[in-house]
């Protein structure tokens, strides 16, 4: 037990060391860092403008008001951004495999996931996160939600579990590189694409998409169903804990990663 705890603490300490190295490296070029951060803010701001101008013409989308849609978009954007800040190393993993850098990762005594996570910490994404936080606060204030402990827990579970879902998708993307030696661009449909179509409640896309986004990649468990509970359209306490079920998505993602690592052969670089 003590040995396991020491190993976990050692991994956390190593990861924090990686993060500090990444931050110090970015701060060497402060102008570049701030311009990139502003750029990230402006990219997601364009999506917000699209929602804003659409609601100048339409009063609601499938019964959801402007403030409710804004809250929906803010939640999915926060979840995606949190995952991307910490899991950016997996997004850049194809170059690690092609260059043969993963050979060196494998011979080191620390866990491979910790090393890949620590290879890139994308702090510039705080620009996007800042906008998501502002939209989230505005949506919360204007949606007339009656707050209590279960609803506060629901929001917390949504954000943590949503970040886990996107982390799992980044992990799957990286694991596939063991067999292709290159990133499969179709995975962007499930990461960046989810950020785009997740700006609206996923129930509006039809039953087939709703089933896929519930039982295959559980976006709805961290966006649509908990949102219905927050807005008072569902009353069952089960909806509070639905986001936690989405964390089970990490199991197949981890299994695929372990399978890929066990079958990895050097790229020859």
């Amino acid at each position: 037990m003590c040995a396991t705890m020491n190993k976990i603490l050692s991994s956390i300490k190593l990861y924090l060391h990686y993060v500090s190295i990444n931050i110090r490296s970015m701060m060497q070029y402060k102008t570049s860092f701030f311009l990139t951060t502003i750029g990230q803010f402006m990219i997601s701001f364009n999506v917000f403008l699209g929602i804003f101008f659409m609601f100048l013409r339409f009063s609601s989308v499938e019964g959801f008001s402007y403030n409710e849609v804004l809250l929906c978009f803010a939640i999915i954007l926060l979840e995606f951004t949190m995952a991307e800040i910490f899991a950016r190393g997996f997004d850049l993993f194809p170059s690690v495999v092609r260059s043969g850098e993963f050979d060196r990762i494998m011979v080191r005594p620390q866990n491979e996931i910790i090393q890949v996570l620590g290879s890139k910490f994308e702090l510039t994404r705080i620009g996007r996160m800042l906008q998501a936080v502002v939209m989230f606060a505005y949506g919360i204030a204007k949606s007339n939600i009656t707050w209590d402990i279960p609803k506060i827990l629901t929001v917390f579970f949504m954000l943590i579990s949503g970040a886990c879902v996107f982390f799992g998708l980044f992990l799957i993307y990286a694991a596939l590189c063991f067999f292709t030696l290159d990133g499969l661009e179709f995975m962007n449909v499930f990461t960046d694409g989810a950020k785009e179509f997740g700006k609206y409640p996923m129930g509006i896309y039809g039953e087939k998409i709703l089933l896929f986004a519930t039982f295959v990649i559980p976006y709805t468990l961290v966006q649509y169903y908990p949102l219905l509970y927050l807005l008072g359209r569902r009353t069952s306490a089960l909806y509070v804990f639905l986001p936690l079920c989405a964390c089970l998505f990490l199991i197949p993602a981890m299994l695929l990663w372990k399978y890929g690592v066990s079958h990895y052969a050097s790229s020859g670089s």
Side-chain angles (χ1 to χ4, degrees), residues 90 93 165-179 184 186-187 190 216-217 249-250 252-257:
F90 288 114
F93 192 69
V165 169
F166 282 109
F167 177 86
L169 288 169
F170 283 124
L171 190 60
I172 291 172
Y173 172 77
L176 292 175
C177 296
F178 289 123
F179 310 102
L184 298 178
F186 81 88
M187 285 297 298
F190 304 113
V216 181
I217 303 177
F249 182 70
L250 284 174
M254 290 291 293
L255 290 175
L256 181 61
W257 170 266

Side-chain angles (χ1 to χ4, degrees), residues 219-251:
Y219 301 121
T220 59
L221 301 186
V222 297
Q223 188 239 41
Y224 180 63
Y225 292 120
L227 185 66
L228 294 179
Y229 177 76
L230 290 179
L231 298 175
R233 302 186 184 192
R234 297 291 187 276
T235 57
S236 173
L238 177 65
Y239 285 82
V240 176
F241 302 100
L242 269 183
L244 296 179
C245 297
C247 293
L248 295 174
F249 182 70
L250 284 174
I251 295 176

Side-chain angles (χ1 to χ4, degrees), residues 205-221:
Y205 296 112
E207 185 179 352
K208 291 182 179 179
I209 296 296
L210 196 62
L211 288 173
F212 176 85
T214 301
F215 297 105
V216 181
I217 303 177
Y219 301 121
T220 59
L221 301 186

Side-chain angles (χ1 to χ4, degrees), residues 72 175 199 234:
C72 178
K199 63 189 177 186
R234 297 291 187 276

